């Protein structure tokens, strides 16, 4: 791979930024200054250094975000702010996309990766990945409604798969579902004549929010996900 492409893919900078670094003698290749941006390097074995630190090539990257209200889950949009804007500068955004979808007003756990295969596995209905949502409700919820949510409700021509509900108090539940239909949680609560007034995803597969703060981003490993 060309040296400039390698540096871009490792998140060192944009194409023009890395070209500048190379011409300014800021990049070492196998311990020697390299001013040739077209130099062919082996991504795994060649030792490339910038600011006295080795630049490591990672084909796939994984990050988790504690999403804030007000951002849509998309890589770009003409009207709204997207979740991509919540990723700090140190995140290598090349080919990165959010896995699954949280509504604009939903907070909580969102995974980003450039690993299309893993993203497909996580969102495939066959995989049954658990997602736990904290749901604050407009109306008090009774045992009968909880039973209905657990057994499956009609959300407009589709009967939801069995779910688990933990009642926190009369207007707050934890809802564990394995599917991810459009507006699923809001539609499920509507089906039992209630309304979601706040929604937060707390887990996604093995991932949790742990002690993250709102808006925080952490780099994680593939093994952390499933
Ligand atoms: N279900 C919803 O209704 N909204 C979300 O953002 C996620 C799940």
């Amino acid at each position: 791979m060309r040296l400039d492409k390698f540096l871009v893919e490792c998140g060192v900078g944009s194409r023009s930024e890395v070209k500048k670094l190379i011409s300014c003698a800021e990049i070492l290749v196998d311990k020697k200054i390299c001013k040739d941006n077209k130099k062919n390097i082996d991504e795994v074995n060649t030792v490339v250094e910038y600011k006295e630190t080795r630049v490591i090539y990672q084909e796939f990257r994984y990050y988790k975000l504690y999403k804030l209200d007000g951002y849509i889950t998309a890589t770009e949009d003409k009207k709204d702010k997207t979740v991509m804007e919540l990723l700090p500068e140190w995140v290598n955004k090349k080919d990165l996309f959010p896995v699954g979808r949280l509504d604009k007003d939903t907070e909580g756990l969102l995974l980003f990766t450039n690993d299309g295969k893993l993203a497909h596995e996580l969102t495939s209905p066959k995989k049954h990945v658990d997602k736990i949502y904290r749901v604050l409700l407009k109306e008090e919820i009774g045992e009968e409604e909880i039973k209905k949510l657990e057994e499956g409700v009609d959300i407009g021509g589709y009967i939801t798969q069995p779910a688990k509900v933990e009642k926190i108090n009369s207007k707050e539940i934890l809802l564990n579902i394995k599917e991810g239909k459009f507006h699923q949680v809001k539609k499920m609560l509507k089906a039992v004549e209630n309304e979601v007034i706040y929604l937060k995803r707390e887990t996604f597969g093995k991932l949790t929010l742990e002690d993250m703060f709102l808006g925080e981003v952490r780099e994680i490993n593939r093994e952390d996900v499933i």
Side-chain angles (χ1 to χ4, degrees), residues 6-221:
F6 171 84
L7 291 167
V8 172
E9 298 216 346
C10 291
V12 172
S14 65
R15 196 103 183 164
S16 59
E17 284 163 349
V18 304
K19 276 189 178 158
K20 207 163 166 193
L21 292 175
I22 296 166
S23 64
C24 293
E26 297 260 18
I27 304 296
L28 300 187
V29 173
D30 288 332
K31 300 288 172 195
K32 287 190 211 97
I33 288 173
C34 177
K35 289 179 123 187
D36 175 9
N37 62 302
K38 294 198 186 91
K39 186 174 174 67
N40 207 19
I41 59 137
D42 179 306
E43 319 62 292
V44 179
N45 296 314
T46 308
V47 178
V48 179
E49 286 164 289
Y50 170 52
K51 289 189 176 163
E52 291 169 24
T53 307
R54 183 164 179 189
V55 181
I56 306 285
Y57 183 76
Q58 249 181 301
E59 189 180 8
F60 296 122
R61 286 161 275 124
Y62 309 90
Y63 305 90
K64 62 177 179 178
L65 160 74
Y66 186 166
K67 180 190 174 293
L68 315 169
D69 174 11
Y71 292 79
I72 64 158
T73 308
T75 49
E76 51 183 38
D77 194 80
K78 290 209 170 74
K79 189 165 78 56
D80 283 306
K81 293 181 285 186
T82 75
V83 287
M84 301 309 286
E85 293 168 49
L86 293 168
L87 299 176
E89 219 174 275
W90 57 264
V91 170
N92 176 1
K93 297 175 195 69
K94 191 170 184 297
D95 299 330
L96 213 65
F97 58 88
V99 179
R101 185 178 181 284
L102 290 180
D103 295 338
K104 186 175 170 183
D105 59 354
T106 301
E107 294 186 341
L109 191 58
L110 190 61
L111 170 71
F112 291 80
T113 187
N114 60 336
D115 182 345
K117 191 162 169 278
L118 179 78
H120 178 72
E121 275 182 44
L122 287 166
T123 48
S124 154
K126 288 191 206 113
K127 264 281 169 184
H128 305 304
V129 175
D130 283 294
K131 289 157 279 258
I132 300 180
Y133 292 88
R134 184 171 296 272
V135 193
L136 301 192
L137 300 163
K138 188 169 178 200
E139 312 294 341
E140 295 195 347
I141 189 158
E143 291 312 312
E144 204 176 306
E145 287 76 36
I146 289 180
K147 191 161 172 270
K148 281 188 192 160
L149 290 173
E150 290 193 318
E151 286 175 355
V153 286
D154 187 340
I155 57 166
Y158 175 78
I159 309 292
T160 56
Q161 297 290 312
K164 283 189 210 133
V165 177
E166 185 186 332
K167 189 170 173 181
I168 306 296
N169 60 51
S170 61
K171 289 191 176 180
E172 181 174 351
I173 58 169
L174 288 176
L175 178 63
N176 183 339
I177 54 174
K178 293 182 192 294
E179 321 167 86
K181 303 273 177 220
F182 188 59
H183 294 327
Q184 177 153 349
V185 176
K186 290 174 185 161
K187 286 180 182 166
M188 286 176 77
L189 272 302
K190 194 167 177 231
V192 294
E193 277 142 45
N194 211 318
E195 197 184 314
V196 174
I197 56 168
Y198 171 79
L199 188 58
K200 172 165 106 176
R201 182 156 71 191
E202 298 201 331
T203 73
F204 181 55
K206 273 162 53 183
L207 293 177
T208 69
L209 284 174
E210 300 171 68
D211 54 351
M212 288 173 79
F213 56 82
L214 202 58
E216 187 181 349
V217 176
R218 288 192 191 166
E219 183 158 21
I220 51 174
N221 300 312

